[in-house]
C-alpha cells in the first residue's frame, strides 16, 4: 500500500457564505440562546432584540478556530454579549464531502471515501480582522439575504478568501490524475459553504480554483 500527501491551496472564485448546522443540537448553546429569542412574540421584539438575534445567527453560522464565551441573553436583557470568538476555519469534513460529491460524476465517490483523508481544518485566509466582534463591526463579513421561505438568512461571509488543506491519498485506489480532475470539478460544480453550486437548489457562492497542489513528505509515519 502506497500513500501520497498533498497540500491543496484553494482560492475563492466567488464569495464564501458559511453554514454551520450547530443549531440542530437541541441541547447545545446555540439552540438555547436562539430559543430564548424565539420565545418572544415577533410583534413584541424591539429593534435592539432583533439586531442581537441576527448577530447571534451570524456568529453561529461560522466555524471558529478559537471558540469564546457567550453570556445568555436572559442575563443581558437580550443583548448579544460574546467574546473571544476568532480565527474562522472551514472544517476538514466539509472539504472531504466536497471531493466525494465531485467524484460522483465519474462514479468515484466511494473511491474518494476509501482512499482520501483530509487531515486538517483549514484557516480561512482573508484580509481583515480575525476576531468575530471586530469582523461584525466592519460589516463586509455580514450577509443578510432572503432564504426563499419568507425569512432572512444571516451568514458569515468572505468576499475574497483562500484556504489550504493537507490531503492523504492511498494511490492504490485513487491515482493522482483522478485526484486532480476531481479537485477541478469540486471547485466549479460543488464549492464550499452555503448556496454553492452543489447545494440542493444550486447557487453561485463558494466556488474556488485550485491554485496550488504541492507534494509533501510522509516522514515515514504511514
Amino acid at each position: 500500500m502506497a500513500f501520497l500527501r498533498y497540500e491543496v491551496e484553494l482560492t475563492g472564485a466567488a464569495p464564501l457564505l458559511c453554514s454551520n448546522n450547530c443549531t440542530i443540537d437541541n441541547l447545545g448553546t446555540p439552540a438555547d440562546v436562539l430559543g430564548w429569542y424565539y420565545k418572544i412574540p415577533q410583534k413584541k421584539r424591539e429593534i435592539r432584540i432583533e439586531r442581537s438575534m441576527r448577530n447571534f445567527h451570524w456568529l453561529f453560522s461560522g466555524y471558529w478556530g478559537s471558540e469564546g464565551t457567550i453570556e445568555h441573553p436572559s442575563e443581558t436583557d437580550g443583548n448579544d454579549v460574546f467574546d473571544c470568538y476568532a480565527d474562522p476555519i472551514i472544517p476538514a469534513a466539509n472539504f472531504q464531502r466536497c471531493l466525494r460529491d465531485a467524484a460522483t460524476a465519474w462514479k468515484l465517490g466511494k473511491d474518494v471515501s476509501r482512499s482520501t483523508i483530509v487531515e486538517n481544518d483549514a484557516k480561512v485566509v482573508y484580509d481583515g480582522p480575525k476576531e468575530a466582534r471586530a469582523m461584525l463591526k466592519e460589516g463586509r463579513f455580514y450577509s443578510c439575504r432572503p432564504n426563499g421561505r419568507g425569512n432572512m438568512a444571516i451568514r458569515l461571509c468572505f468576499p475574497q478568501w483562500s484556504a489550504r488543506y493537507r490531503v492523504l491519498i492511498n494511490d492504490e485506489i485513487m491515482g493522482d490524475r483522478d485526484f486532480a480532475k476531481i479537485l477541478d470539478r469540486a471547485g466549479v460544480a460543488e464549492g464550499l459553504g452555503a448556496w454553492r453550486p452543489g447545494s440542493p437548489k444550486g447557487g453561485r457562492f463558494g466556488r474556488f480554483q485550485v491554485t496550488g497542489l504541492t507534494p509533501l513528505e510522509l516522514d515515514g509515519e504511514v
Side-chain angles (χ1 to χ4, degrees):
M1 184 179 297
F3 288 89
L4 301 172
R5 175 177 284 140
Y6 291 98
E7 180 181 77
V8 182
E9 181 176 8
L10 314 179
T11 299
L16 174 68
L17 292 181
C18 295
S19 179
N20 189 338
N21 61 359
C22 61
T23 57
I24 66 174
D25 179 5
N26 292 331
L27 299 180
T29 296
D32 183 32
V33 168
L34 292 175
W36 184 90
Y37 289 102
Y38 282 118
K39 289 178 181 177
I40 304 173
Q42 190 167 8
K43 293 182 179 180
K44 295 184 179 181
R45 293 178 198 159
E46 306 171 27
I47 293 178
R48 173 182 62 84
I49 293 293
E50 288 280 2
R51 184 177 295 112
S52 294
M53 187 178 184
R54 288 189 176 197
N55 288 349
F56 274 126
H57 270 292
W58 175 87
L59 179 72
F60 297 142
S61 73
Y63 296 92
W64 302 95
S66 300
E67 291 201 359
T69 58
I70 294 173
E71 292 190 36
H72 199 279
S74 63
E75 300 174 355
T76 64
D77 194 28
N79 293 315
D80 56 311
V81 180
F82 57 87
D83 191 27
C84 296
Y85 278 80
D87 304 322
I89 62 172
I90 311 172
N94 293 32
F95 190 47
Q96 185 91 38
R97 182 185 62 191
C98 177
L99 295 174
R100 181 201 65 201
D101 290 351
T104 59
W106 299 281
K107 298 183 179 180
L108 294 174
K110 288 186 177 180
D111 283 355
V112 167
S113 297
R114 292 166 178 161
S115 68
T116 304
I117 300 172
V118 179
E119 297 184 305
N120 66 301
D121 299 330
K123 292 182 179 179
V124 184
V125 180
Y126 61 97
D127 181 22
K130 303 301 183 286
E131 196 277 327
R133 182 61 73 177
M135 294 172 68
L136 183 59
K137 184 178 181 180
E138 191 161 312
R140 61 191 173 99
F141 302 106
Y142 185 97
S143 172
C144 178
R145 298 173 182 272
N147 64 4
R149 298 190 297 272
N151 297 312
M152 303 302 290
I154 313 299
R155 303 198 185 275
L156 173 61
C157 173
F158 296 93
Q160 289 86 34
W161 61 280
S162 64
R164 291 183 180 182
Y165 287 99
R166 293 187 312 275
V167 182
L168 185 67
I169 301 171
N170 180 341
D171 70 353
E172 292 185 357
I173 301 174
M174 176 66 63
D176 53 1
R177 289 187 179 181
D178 282 339
F179 181 58
K181 73 180 183 182
I182 288 168
L183 278 173
D184 285 340
R185 180 176 174 81
V188 174
E190 294 299 329
L192 290 165
W195 296 346
R196 65 191 187 278
S199 58
K201 293 185 178 181
R204 65 181 182 87
F205 296 94
R207 292 179 289 109
F208 58 82
Q209 295 177 335
V210 179
T211 50
L213 184 59
T214 306
L216 299 176
E217 294 290 336
L218 291 175
D219 297 328
E221 77 270 25
V222 179

